[in-house]
Amino acid sequence: MLGVAVLLLGTACERETKLSLGNLPATTRGPAPSSVLRIPSGGGAARLYRMPTLEPSTWTTDDKLPPIEHPIGADPEQGLVYVFDGKQNVVALDLETRRVRTSLEQIRYAAVGPDGALYAVDTGSTVTQLVRRAPVRFRSKLQGTPAELHGTMTGAVLARLTGPAPVLETLGSDQAPTSMTLASGAFATSLYGDLVAVAADTAVVLYAPQGKNRPLPVPVSGHARAAMFSPSGHRVYVAQEDHRLLVFDRFSGAELQAIALPGGARALRGDQYGQWLMVRPDSGDSAWVIDIGRARHTGTVATKWAADLPAIASPNTLLARQGKDVIARDLGKSDFPETGRVENAADDFWLVIGWRPAQDVETVITADSTAIAAADSEAAAPSVYLQVSSSQNPSWASELSEKLRAAGLPASVLPPKRSDEAFRVVLGPYASRDQAEETGRKIGMPSFVVTAQDEAAR
């Protein structure tokens, strides 16, 4: 439910809407803190650390992981983390039960989509999707060898194939593969997989994977080296050799901003909420930090780049390797002071996840049933709320509430009264049912009205 709600929020946004998650300002009051999972490269027990202090959680695995080739990704709502072992197997770590099991065997390539679904290509080029722990075998096979694999929110997989000319192949569970030739250059996809960008030196070319629209070339001066979409998909960031970070509107191709950089750039990496962006310089081991809300370069962190780190986690924390250690730094303060360190941990893999065990969850509830009832007792008419999501994971509920509040909506979380109930995300209060229902029609998310009388009946 949560993943669908976030998707609907993004797709309901038009270019100038206040709900654009790509326009979130940088703020010290960010989303609920993330966790970071330490995955031992040589095998063993995974460990969980709290952000931003990197204090170890009491959570640890009951089973040991095998030696790991690299992590694939996580499905926080299902509480699963997927990794590749050294024997062409996809191994799943169940965060709730703390158990480890082999999910798929003889796998060559795999990726996790934005909704947490796993897409895996086996040694015979057959694609299998794992969604909510259920396997779906695609009817058609992948037609080439993927250099990159990406999952989408529509259940299709995108593969950039190797060969004399780059090719993008799109394949769904019940549809034949389609392909299109791409320009040469660094490749990026939007979060939901509805758009692809290629940094092709003198232009950034935008492609719709389903082929419904013609490619849109956006001319770029200064040699485009890398591209990245904002989380909402409304903006495209372009790293240049010409010491600038350009920001474009993905709909019109118009240039919105040009942010000065200390030098030429070759790669980009962002956070989940569109508040921060890291730029990899042409040379040297460092990361330039860009404050998106202020549209400026705010500092530099010395670190080597790898597939997992550096990474940005909430709240406003950069996680990076420094020598043999892994450190956390506060991006919201000048000079990025260190907030935590794990010694002798640089050889392991690290994965930022939106999941926290119950014992680590801080009080993030901003409204509850008692507050609703109290508000009604002081008002002439009962308060009306709009429920938009429910989840058994309090961290997911809190993160969605924070996203909605950052987008200008009056969101809060109602805690469960009983252990078998869910954490519910609501908007309001509203003066009337009509007002709440009108909001529900505008936001484009599944919702229904909740009143204090409903709470009393529970």
Side-chain angles (χ1 to χ4, degrees):
M1 173 68 179
L2 179 58
V4 173
V6 176
L7 170 64
L8 290 172
L9 175 63
T11 55
C13 302
E14 295 183 1
R15 193 183 313 169
E16 301 299 331
T17 181
K18 293 182 180 180
L19 298 183
S20 171
L21 299 184
N23 296 326
L24 299 185
T27 173
T28 55
R29 181 175 179 264
S34 305
S35 299
V36 60
L37 188 69
R38 179 182 178 182
I39 303 171
S41 57
R47 294 294 307 272
L48 197 69
Y49 294 82
R50 304 185 185 100
M51 298 301 289
T53 61
L54 285 181
E55 295 177 359
S57 168
T58 57
W59 181 98
T60 187
T61 51
D62 294 333
D63 295 343
K64 291 184 177 181
L65 289 163
I68 298 302
E69 184 175 308
H70 62 82
I72 302 169
D75 180 352
E77 190 168 12
Q78 295 295 311
L80 295 173
V81 172
Y82 298 106
V83 300
F84 255 128
D85 69 7
K87 300 179 180 179
Q88 294 188 310
N89 299 319
V90 172
V91 176
L93 166 60
D94 191 316
L95 298 172
E96 297 289 352
T97 65
R98 311 186 187 195
R99 307 309 296 254
V100 173
R101 68 180 187 278
T102 298
S103 291
L104 296 170
E105 298 179 341
Q106 295 299 303
I107 300 300
R108 297 172 63 191
Y109 314 97
V112 172
D115 58 351
L118 175 77
Y119 298 84
V121 183
D122 65 18
T123 53
S125 297
T126 296
V127 179
T128 299
Q129 178 192 37
L130 277 180
V131 55
R132 296 188 178 275
R133 304 176 189 251
V136 177
R137 189 182 178 94
F138 283 21
R139 293 182 182 178
S140 301
K141 293 186 177 184
L142 199 66
Q143 299 303 298
T145 301
E148 296 182 43
L149 197 68
H150 300 270
T152 71
M153 206 68 178
T154 61
V157 65
L158 303 180
R160 186 172 72 88
L161 305 181
T162 60
V167 172
L168 176 67
E169 183 172 318
T170 304
L171 180 63
S173 60
D174 57 356
Q175 69 182 59
T178 60
S179 62
M180 65 175 66
T181 302
L182 301 176
S184 297
F187 175 92
T189 68
S190 63
L191 176 62
Y192 303 119
D194 63 328
L195 205 63
V196 166
V198 176
D201 191 46
T202 59
V204 171
V205 187
L206 304 180
Y207 300 88
Q210 301 298 333
K212 295 180 179 179
N213 301 314
R214 292 183 177 181
L216 174 65
V218 181
V220 174
S221 61
H223 305 291
R225 291 290 176 260
M228 189 192 82
F229 289 93
S230 64
S232 67
H234 289 187
R235 295 184 176 188
V236 184
Y237 300 97
V238 180
Q240 289 183 290
E241 185 180 293
D242 193 25
H243 299 203
R244 293 188 305 168
L245 175 69
L246 302 181
V247 186
F248 292 93
D249 183 299
R250 65 80 63 90
F251 298 98
S252 67
E255 182 177 324
L256 303 177
Q257 289 176 322
I259 302 172
L261 298 176
R266 58 172 165 158
L268 300 172
R269 188 174 293 176
D271 70 344
Q272 185 180 3
Y273 300 99
Q275 295 174 306
W276 303 98
L277 188 149
M278 293 181 293
V279 181
R280 185 178 186 180
D282 270 338
S283 60
D285 293 326
S286 63
W288 297 327
V289 178
I290 307 299
D291 183 330
I292 296 299
R294 297 178 182 176
R296 64 184 179 91
H297 168 242
T298 58
T300 301
V301 174
T303 184
K304 292 184 177 181
W305 284 65
D308 57 342
L309 298 180
I312 297 175
S314 60
N316 303 322
T317 304
L318 185 143
L319 197 67
R321 291 182 173 89
Q322 182 174 298
K324 296 182 178 180
D325 303 336
V326 170
I327 60 172
R329 295 189 178 277
D330 187 348
L331 298 180
K333 297 180 180 178
S334 60
D335 299 326
F336 306 150
E338 183 178 315
T339 59
R341 178 183 292 258
V342 182
E343 296 181 347
N344 299 315
D347 290 339
D348 291 330
F349 297 109
W350 292 78
L351 184 65
V352 176
I353 55 176
W355 181 90
R356 305 183 80 193
Q359 62 267 30
D360 287 355
V361 176
E362 300 170 1
T363 302
V364 296
I365 306 306
T366 57
D368 57 30
S369 305
T370 303
I372 292 179
D376 287 338
S377 66
E378 299 173 1
S383 299
V384 180
Y385 288 75
L386 195 68
Q387 181 171 323
V388 297
S389 176
S390 64
S391 173
Q392 296 292 337
N393 189 325
S395 294
W396 274 79
S398 176
E399 286 187 15
L400 176 57
S401 175
E402 290 285 356
K403 280 186 176 182
L404 295 171
R405 282 200 297 274
L409 294 170
S412 56
V413 181
L414 301 182
K417 288 185 176 182
R418 300 188 302 270
S419 60
D420 60 339
E421 293 183 341
F423 290 81
R424 297 179 295 148
V425 180
V426 298
L427 305 179
Y430 297 99
S432 67
R433 178 180 289 270
D434 288 344
Q435 189 180 71
E437 290 176 345
E438 177 65 18
T439 300
R441 287 190 290 270
K442 290 181 178 179
I443 63 174
M445 300 172 64
S447 61
F448 58 88
V449 172
V450 177
T451 66
Q453 289 89 336
D454 297 327
E455 291 299 307
R458 293 176 67 226

